[in-house]
Amino acid sequence: MAPRTPVVLGLVLLAAVAVATVHFWSVRPQPVRAPEPVADESAALALPPDPLRSGTPDPVPRPAAGEPPGTGGGNGSGEIVVDVSGKVRRPGVRRLPAGSRVEDALEAAGGVRAGTDVTGLNRARVLVDGEQVAVGLPPGPPVAGATAGDGAGAGPSAPLSLNSATAEQFETLPGVGPVLAQHMIDYRTENNGFRSVDELRQVNGIGDRRFAVLRPLVRP
């Protein structure tokens, strides 16, 4: 063996050891760092609770001050027409919300004149469409009796004939004003007269309560 052969072999061996060391160091396991927790985005944004998920009902709008319950902020379509006559400051036909009372009609007519006796006037009574509110007036004159055989046949205590009475005579009935009296005449004209008292129910402005009052006072 040549004298340099052992030296060369030693260098090759050292090189092999160095390569093996580098390879072992490069493939050793590396420590892994745990990820940091991420904050909840919904908590960071502080979103308001969803009423549909939380079960909280939506607030119900309330009517404005001075507005009757159930209107919901609108002016509604219920309206009645009444005739306020007698000793008031501004007599005439007035349009009022449905459900108004006699007191409301008096205020719409400017109030009762000073010194007027309203003892027999029920100011708390609910008004109906087409009626007349007479203030401080004497009761209407009795219906004049007709001659025998003419068909009218109404005396002071006899029922009023629906088929022959005039508008003025209809207005002597309780709760009947010019507007309702005209409705009764219009119905009589359009239907060739009243065949029964029950047909009063079909006249515009006559409901069940008013019909109950008028029924014993009239006849066909």
Side-chain angles (χ1 to χ4, degrees), residues 74-217:
N75 52 13
S77 58
E79 188 180 66
I80 60 174
V81 180
V82 297
D83 179 25
V84 186
S85 60
K87 296 181 180 181
V88 291
R89 292 186 175 88
R90 295 191 303 272
V93 176
R94 297 286 181 264
R95 295 180 180 273
L96 300 171
S100 297
R101 301 179 183 269
V102 173
E103 179 67 17
D104 300 322
L106 297 180
E107 292 181 1
V112 180
R113 294 179 184 177
T116 303
D117 183 13
V118 292
T119 303
L121 187 62
N122 182 7
R123 299 192 179 197
R125 180 173 58 83
V126 178
L127 297 169
V128 294
D129 183 52
E131 80 166 275
Q132 182 184 40
V133 179
V135 182
L137 295 180
V143 179
T147 58
D150 63 356
S157 59
L160 182 65
S161 173
L162 295 174
N163 290 321
S164 61
T166 64
E168 289 76 11
Q169 291 173 333
F170 279 139
E171 291 178 26
T172 63
L173 296 173
V176 178
V179 177
L180 184 55
Q182 188 60 47
H183 288 335
M184 297 168 71
I185 291 178
D186 292 342
Y187 180 89
R188 182 175 66 188
T189 303
E190 295 171 0
N191 296 273
N192 296 323
F194 289 88
R195 287 174 291 276
S196 68
V197 176
D198 291 339
E199 290 187 25
L200 277 178
R201 293 176 179 270
Q202 304 178 29
V203 176
N204 185 20
I206 297 182
D208 292 339
R209 288 188 298 178
R210 176 168 293 178
F211 175 75
V213 174
L214 296 178
R215 184 174 186 177
L217 305 177

